[in-house]
């Protein structure tokens, strides 16, 4: 029995971490966030490491690794607030397409050349003005906060839990960027006007498995981002002096840091297990995915606030850049289901709610 | 990630299950200190290796090799079947491991067997009115007079002192040494002349704690564990045992399932509480926290088998997080019941024998006892994050 990451997973973590440290430092993130450049270069770099092909089977041109490996990557990307369409194009789209037996696009996705965005919001629960209606395979309506504004195609989920694939430049598709607080990743709206799509799957299981995986990856992204905020807060507290001593020697500050550790450390085991369960314990996977998404949203929110406070006024500035992590964690909380909604789903899975 | 235990353990689990099957109806319903039925049950558990499993046979244990997975399987199966796991208490859970590690062979021979068989009951003399979180500043002193220690001072929070045969006690033997190096660990009988016990009733109404006063209590010189001045090391070894075991994750999940049962049966204005989304959200939120602690615990278990895993922080946070979590789980049950949740003692509307209110308060006690949550945060930040200690106050 060994609960933890394998040697290979630790190596993967190290090599991706090293790449992000060297090639995608905060300055680079700032450039992309400000719109000076796109995330294409970063995505190409990650593609050279095999990241977009991680989950795709070897015979389809992928690496054929598992969900826990993807969790390890998501955690790294969160730690470095890396701009990339990882959750949509490297996790959710391949899982959906493989589960649906659709192999045609996988090789292109695996190479990183073809990006597939995710429009699941209308299946999880459409907000004001949003919603999709289907006539055969012809879609009309509006999808909001679709993951990845630069994708080549989109996987759209309908309230019936059917999945449709549509090219970004297809007739009847209008795409507009939606600016959010989290500028490290992009979202858009899709306005569909009798747009012809392809049905990928009418099996709700395919939709749910895809959603579960996306939620676990967001939990892992938050885990990484929160860990980085905690590390920064502890480092800052050890060098910032007030009243002739480093502020890390004040109990008030130490206790804030201890509370962050105490809340975050069990999350690591939870997210690892959630990743493991996606592949190996299917009967538990959905409930654990919901719990992980909701719990990491809460812990992430707490760490994001507390770590910023440890930095005092500097935490509030753009100069230190802590806000990139704060906003990333905030975005992970809302996307693919806010914690209250996901907990209600966890209750339904257990038969505690209708 | 490899969560399989292998075939050997599958077989072992079956063994445990068949024991449970055989004895389920024969177990005593309550653990009664010194009760004949309880002592017989204790003996049976030890004979089958379900209690004192790794304690050598010569000291009255079962004498199995340490196997963390087997211990876990026993705990899991007993918990699932709600089997009586036998006697606990500070002599069994805290003193025995310390004697095994640091006791003389005479001390092991003399004390371990009767202790684990429930024939010798112990209390712990650590805290003092002036030495709580700062335990090392304790002032109860022991002076050598010929072949005897002469003890004077006062202890507080002494659980079970009024029913204990013996005490393991921290005393200051080297008043000139730095505070951590002047303490010794003594064992003596509670009927020694010069000991006075006064009850300290706690907020649940129970008499568990006591104040214990020592006036010229004379104890044979050799009843010291470790050497003179080493008592702090011995005491810390025991606290390590205590912190990990206060609020195990499967107990939290069992209690949460109890809350679910309650929410499915309790109603307000004809509506089941489980159908109220506000209460339900609180429940599921706590489930998430309990789940995180369960996997944290699996990681800790794994690190005991795979020595290369670093789980320093994961271990340090357990006492803080698990006691706070239990307090909130019990508190949710009370909120679910509303006014009914206030029921106490002989109230005919009492639910679950009053365990929810009792545990709610009891876990507040555990949040404070065994190193308060605030002390835990000092430990996490200083030893876990390498943050500097608070500067000493200069007078």
């Amino acid at each position: 029995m060994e609960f933890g990451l394998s040697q290979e997973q630790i190596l993967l973590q190290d090599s991706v971490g090293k790449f992000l440290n060297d090639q995608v430092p905060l300055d680079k993130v700032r450039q992309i966030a400000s719109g000076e450049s796109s995330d294409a270069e970063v995505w190409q770099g990650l593609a050279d490491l095999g990241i977009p092909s991680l989950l795709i089977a070897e015979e389809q041109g992928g690496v054929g690794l598992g969900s826990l490996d993807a969790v390890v990557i998501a955690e790294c990307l969160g730690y470095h607030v890396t701009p990339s369409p990882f959750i949509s194009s490297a996790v959710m789209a391949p899982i959906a397409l493989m589960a649906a037996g659709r192999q045609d696009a996988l090789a292109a996705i695996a190479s990183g050349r073809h990006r597939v965005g995710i429009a699941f919001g209308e299946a999880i629960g459409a907000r004001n003005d949003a919603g999709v209606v289907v006539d055969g395979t012809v879609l009309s309506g509006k999808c909001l906060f679709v993951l990845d504004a630069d994708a080549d195609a989109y996987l759209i989920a309908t309230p019936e839990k059917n999945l449709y694939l549509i090219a970004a430049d297809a007739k009847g598709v209008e795409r507009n960027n939606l600016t959010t607080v989290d500028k490290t990743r992009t979202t858009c709206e899709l306005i569909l006007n009798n747009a012809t799509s392809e049905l990928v799957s009418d099996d709700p299981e395919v939709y749910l498995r895809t959603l579960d995986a996306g939620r676990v990856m967001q939990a892992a992204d938050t885990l990484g981002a929160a860990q980085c905020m905690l590390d920064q807060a502890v480092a800052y507290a050890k060098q910032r002096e007030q009243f002739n001593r480093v502020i890390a020697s004040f109990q008030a500050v130490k206790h804030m840091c201890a509370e962050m550790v105490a809340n975050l450390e069990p999350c690591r085991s939870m997210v690892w297990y959630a990743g493991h369960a996606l592949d190996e314990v299917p009967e538990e996977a959905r409930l654990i995915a919901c719990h992980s998404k909701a719990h990491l949203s809460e812990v992430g929110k707490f760490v994001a606030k507390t770590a910023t406070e440890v930095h005092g006024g500097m935490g509030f500035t753009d100069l230190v850049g802590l806000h990139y992590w704060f906003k990333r964690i905030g975005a992970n909380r809302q996307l693919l289901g806010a914690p209250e909604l996901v907990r209600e789903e966890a209750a339904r899975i257990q038969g505690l709610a209708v | 990630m490899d969560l399989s235990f292998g075939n050997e353990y599958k077989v072992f689990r079956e063994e445990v299950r068949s024991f449970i099957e055989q004895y389920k109806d024969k177990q005593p319903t309550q653990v009664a200190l010194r009760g004949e039925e309880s002592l017989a049950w204790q003996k049976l558990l030890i004979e089958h290796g379900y209690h004192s499993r790794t304690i050598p046979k010569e000291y009255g244990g079962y004498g199995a090799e340490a196997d963390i997975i087997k211990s876990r399987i026993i705990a899991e199966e007993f918990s699932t079947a709600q089997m009586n796991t036998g006697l606990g208490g500070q002599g069994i859970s805290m003193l025995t491991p310390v004697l095994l590690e640091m006791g003389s062979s005479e001390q092991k021979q003399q004390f371990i067997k009767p202790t684990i068989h429930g024939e010798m009951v112990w209390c712990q003399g650590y805290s003092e009115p002036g030495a709580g979180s700062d335990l090392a500043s304790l002032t109860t002193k022991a002076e050598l007079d010929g072949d005897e220690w002469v003890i004077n001072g006062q202890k507080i929070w002494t659980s079970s002192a009024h029913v204990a045969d013996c005490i393991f006690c921290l005393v200051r033997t080297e008043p000139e040494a730095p505070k951590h190096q002047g303490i010794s660990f003594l064992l003596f009988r509670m009927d020694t002349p010069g000991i006075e016990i006064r009850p300290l009733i706690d907020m649940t109404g129970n008499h568990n704690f006591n104040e214990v006063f020592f006036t010229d209590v004379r104890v044979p010189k050799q009843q010291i564990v470790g050497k003179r001045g080493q008592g702090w090391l011995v005491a810390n070894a025991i606290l390590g045992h205590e912190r990990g075991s206060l609020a195990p994750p499967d107990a939290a999940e069992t209690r949460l399932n109890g809350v679910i049962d309650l929410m499915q049966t309790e109603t307000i204005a004809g509506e089941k509480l489980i159908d109220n989304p506000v209460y339900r959200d609180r429940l599921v939120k706590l489930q998430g926290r309990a789940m995180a602690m369960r996997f944290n615990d699996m990681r800790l278990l794994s690190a005991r088998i795979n020595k290369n895993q670093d789980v320093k922080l994961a271990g340090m946070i357990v006492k803080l997080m698990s006691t706070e979590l239990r307090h909130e789980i019990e508190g949710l049950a009370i909120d679910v019941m509303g006014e009914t949740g206030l029921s106490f003692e002989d109230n005919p509307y009492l639910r679950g024998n009053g365990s929810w209110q009792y545990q709610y308060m009891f876990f507040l006690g555990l949040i404070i006892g065994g190193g308060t949550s605030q002390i835990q945060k000092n430990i996490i930040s200083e030893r876990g994050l390498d943050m500097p200690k608070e500067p000493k106050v200069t007078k």
Side-chain angles (χ1 to χ4, degrees):
Chain A
M1 184 262 189
E2 188 170 14
F3 186 98
L5 301 181
S6 66
Q7 285 309 310
E8 291 77 10
Q9 282 158 343
I10 291 167
L11 281 175
L12 182 67
Q13 196 172 39
D14 289 348
S15 68
V16 174
K18 186 175 182 323
F19 167 78
L20 297 176
N21 243 338
D22 296 347
Q23 304 298 317
V24 200
L26 185 58
D27 285 344
K28 181 83 187 167
V29 174
R30 283 182 189 275
Q31 271 177 28
I32 297 169
S34 67
E36 262 176 68
S37 59
S38 81
D39 63 5
E41 191 192 326
V42 175
W43 190 232
Q44 187 52 53
L46 288 169
D48 294 342
L49 291 173
I51 301 302
S53 64
L54 197 75
L55 293 177
I56 296 172
E58 283 179 86
E59 51 276 24
Q60 312 298 332
V63 185
L65 291 179
S67 299
L68 182 54
D69 303 286
V71 158
V72 168
I73 304 296
E75 193 186 330
C76 284
L77 297 171
Y79 193 94
H80 296 273
V81 284
T82 308
S84 93
F86 175 75
I87 292 179
S88 46
S89 209
V91 177
M92 295 180 74
I95 286 180
L97 293 172
M98 286 190 293
R102 285 288 304 265
Q103 295 168 359
D104 41 322
L106 290 175
I109 292 174
S111 71
R113 290 191 317 276
H114 186 70
R115 290 163 65 148
V116 180
I118 294 289
F120 273 29
E122 288 57 46
I124 294 166
R127 297 282 166 176
N128 298 8
D129 304 332
V132 186
V133 287
V134 186
D135 181 8
T137 57
V138 176
L139 305 181
S140 293
K142 193 195 279 183
C143 306
L144 288 180
F145 300 100
V146 175
L147 305 183
D148 195 1
D150 300 305
D152 301 290
Y154 290 92
L155 208 48
I156 298 172
T158 61
E160 298 76 31
K161 300 186 172 61
N162 296 340
L163 292 180
Y164 296 87
L165 189 65
I166 195 162
D169 56 5
K171 195 164 165 282
V173 176
E174 181 190 334
R175 172 169 65 181
N176 302 305
N177 285 357
L178 292 180
T179 305
T180 72
V181 289
D182 174 28
K183 293 190 170 130
T184 67
R185 291 164 305 181
T186 58
T187 66
C188 60
E189 68 174 348
L190 295 178
I191 298 170
L192 307 167
N193 194 357
N194 291 318
T196 302
S197 69
E198 297 169 59
L199 177 68
V200 170
S201 167
D202 57 4
D203 177 359
E205 229 0 75
V206 173
Y207 159 78
L208 287 168
R209 273 173 62 183
T210 307
L211 179 60
D212 293 343
R215 285 173 169 170
V216 172
M217 297 309 145
Q218 269 173 335
D221 192 278
T222 292
L223 171 67
Q227 183 64 52
C228 186
M229 288 192 89
L230 167 60
D231 292 349
Q232 292 185 64
V234 172
Y236 182 81
K238 284 180 183 173
Q239 54 92 16
R240 166 75 176 165
E241 289 185 22
Q242 285 288 274
F243 305 101
N244 299 316
R245 49 197 263 216
V246 291
I247 63 168
S249 68
F250 289 104
Q251 273 194 339
V253 175
K254 286 199 288 196
H255 285 196
M256 289 164 98
C257 294
E259 284 165 16
M260 287 192 271
V261 172
N263 281 284
L264 195 57
E265 200 55 33
C267 291
R268 191 173 313 285
S269 306
M270 185 185 208
V271 169
W272 285 348
Y273 187 83
H276 171 75
L278 285 173
D279 297 340
E280 306 295 336
V281 201
E283 67 278 14
E284 290 179 17
R286 184 146 307 140
L287 179 60
I288 288 165
C290 288
H291 274 312
S292 302
K293 171 76 164 72
H295 185 62
L296 266 293
S297 296
E298 303 298 2
V299 172
K301 183 181 171 185
F302 169 71
V303 172
K305 171 173 181 278
T306 309
T308 307
E309 283 184 74
V310 169
H311 282 78
M314 292 311 288
F316 190 63
T317 64
D318 177 53
L319 188 70
V320 171
L322 207 62
H323 64 92
Y324 287 107
W325 282 265
F326 182 94
K327 293 165 181 171
R328 177 110 163 188
I329 290 169
N332 286 342
R333 182 180 168 95
Q334 307 304 339
L335 294 169
L336 302 182
E340 285 76 9
L341 299 178
V342 179
R343 281 196 293 269
E344 192 60 354
E345 213 169 310
R348 281 198 293 273
I349 292 165
Q350 298 175 81
L352 302 176
V354 281
Chain B
M1 190 75 73
D2 170 15
L3 302 181
S4 65
F5 287 138
N7 201 43
E8 179 196 354
Y9 294 108
K10 217 180 256 176
V11 172
F12 183 75
R13 194 182 288 276
E14 286 312 314
E15 271 173 48
V16 179
R17 282 184 183 164
S18 70
F19 172 86
I20 289 171
E21 199 51 47
Q22 189 180 347
Y23 288 100
K24 204 169 170 25
D25 303 328
K26 297 171 193 153
Q27 58 174 332
T29 46
Q30 279 193 328
V31 184
L33 214 56
R34 292 181 231 275
E36 216 172 285
E37 218 191 347
S38 284
L39 293 188
W41 180 247
Q42 182 73 0
K43 189 158 178 280
L44 183 86
L45 289 179
I46 294 175
E47 279 168 6
H48 285 81
Y50 301 139
H51 196 291
S52 306
R53 182 172 174 79
T54 60
I55 292 171
K57 275 208 162 82
E58 56 171 323
Y59 307 134
Y62 179 73
E65 246 179 82
D67 184 327
I68 179 75
I69 298 175
K70 285 188 178 169
S71 303
R72 173 63 60 107
I73 288 170
I74 297 167
E76 277 174 10
E77 293 300 324
F78 271 60
S79 166
T80 310
Q82 300 193 334
M83 285 288 275
N84 183 333
T85 54
L87 298 171
Q90 289 167 324
I92 289 172
S93 63
M94 297 168 72
L95 178 63
T96 302
V98 162
L99 285 179
L100 283 170
E101 201 154 313
M102 309 180 92
S104 67
S105 57
E106 293 79 26
Q107 286 166 345
K108 292 181 198 172
Q109 291 290 355
Q110 191 184 348
F111 297 122
I112 295 178
K113 185 172 180 187
T115 300
I116 60 179
H117 281 82
E119 292 149 7
M120 185 182 274
V121 177
W122 292 81
C123 61
Q124 175 207 67
Y126 280 14
S127 298
E128 296 180 4
S133 291
D134 182 13
L135 183 60
S137 70
L138 58 91
T139 57
T140 293
K141 62 177 179 185
E143 293 166 304
L144 211 50
D145 178 24
D147 281 344
E148 290 177 323
W149 295 105
V150 181
I151 303 168
N152 281 284
Q154 184 197 343
K155 295 291 175 184
I156 194 171
W157 313 118
T158 320
S159 303
S160 307
H162 57 300
V163 292
D165 303 292
C166 302
I167 183 167
F168 53 100
C169 192
L170 290 179
V171 293
R172 188 158 300 282
T173 50
E174 337 290 310
E176 305 305 322
K179 67 177 179 181
H180 292 89
Q181 287 151 39
I183 297 168
S184 296
F185 193 102
L186 300 185
L187 311 172
F188 50 95
R189 292 197 57 83
M190 286 299 281
D191 55 10
T192 316
I195 300 179
E196 189 199 342
I197 302 164
R198 294 183 202 159
L200 195 62
I201 305 300
D202 66 36
M203 69 188 289
T204 69
N206 271 6
H207 173 201
N208 178 32
F209 294 127
N210 300 274
E211 295 180 280
V212 182
F213 298 82
F214 305 118
T215 313
D216 293 331
V217 177
R218 301 186 83 87
V219 172
K221 187 180 158 188
Q222 69 276 15
Q223 285 179 208
I224 183 170
V225 179
K227 296 203 175 76
R228 276 182 79 144
Q230 283 188 342
W232 185 253
L233 295 174
V234 178
N236 268 322
I238 305 186
L239 275 181
H241 273 276
E242 185 182 36
R243 280 187 186 136
S245 58
L246 287 175
D250 32 344
E253 293 191 340
T254 305
R255 291 302 275 178
L256 267 174
N257 290 335
V259 180
I260 294 175
D261 290 343
L262 210 53
M263 290 175 74
Q264 285 170 330
T265 47
E266 297 295 321
T267 59
I268 180 160
E271 185 194 41
K272 286 182 189 163
L273 271 298
I274 197 71
D275 295 330
N276 181 310
V278 177
Y279 289 95
R280 193 163 63 217
D281 191 61
R282 280 183 60 187
L283 168 76
V284 179
K285 220 177 195 172
L286 287 174
Q287 280 185 323
R289 285 173 55 184
M291 186 180 265
M293 290 310 291
R294 163 150 61 100
F295 296 127
N296 190 66
D297 192 63
M298 282 173 77
R299 186 173 163 213
L300 293 176
L301 169 72
S302 167
R304 290 174 68 175
I305 306 166
N306 308 286
K307 298 292 178 198
N308 58 331
Q309 293 185 323
D310 176 13
V311 293
K312 188 173 157 199
L313 289 171
M316 275 183 186
I317 57 99
V318 169
K319 196 268 174 182
L320 170 67
M321 293 304 279
S322 58
T323 52
E324 301 275 357
L325 173 64
R326 272 301 289 280
H327 182 64
E328 287 198 36
I329 292 171
E330 308 296 331
L332 171 60
I334 294 168
D335 288 349
V336 160
M337 292 182 280
E339 304 90 324
T340 310
L342 298 172
S343 304
F344 209 50
E345 295 171 351
D346 62 349
N347 187 313
Y349 299 99
L350 205 62
R351 305 289 200 265
N353 291 321
S355 70
W356 299 108
Q357 273 290 0
Y358 175 77
Q359 298 275 358
Y360 178 62
M361 291 187 267
F362 182 77
F363 271 88
L364 178 53
L366 286 186
I367 285 170
I368 298 166
T372 64
S373 285
Q374 288 65 40
I375 290 293
Q376 300 303 320
K377 290 175 196 172
N378 285 355
I379 293 172
I380 295 164
S381 54
E382 288 167 13
R383 297 190 207 156
L385 298 175
D386 206 22
M387 296 174 90
K389 277 183 181 299
E390 194 93 351
K392 294 261 185 292
V393 179
T394 48
K395 280 180 191 162

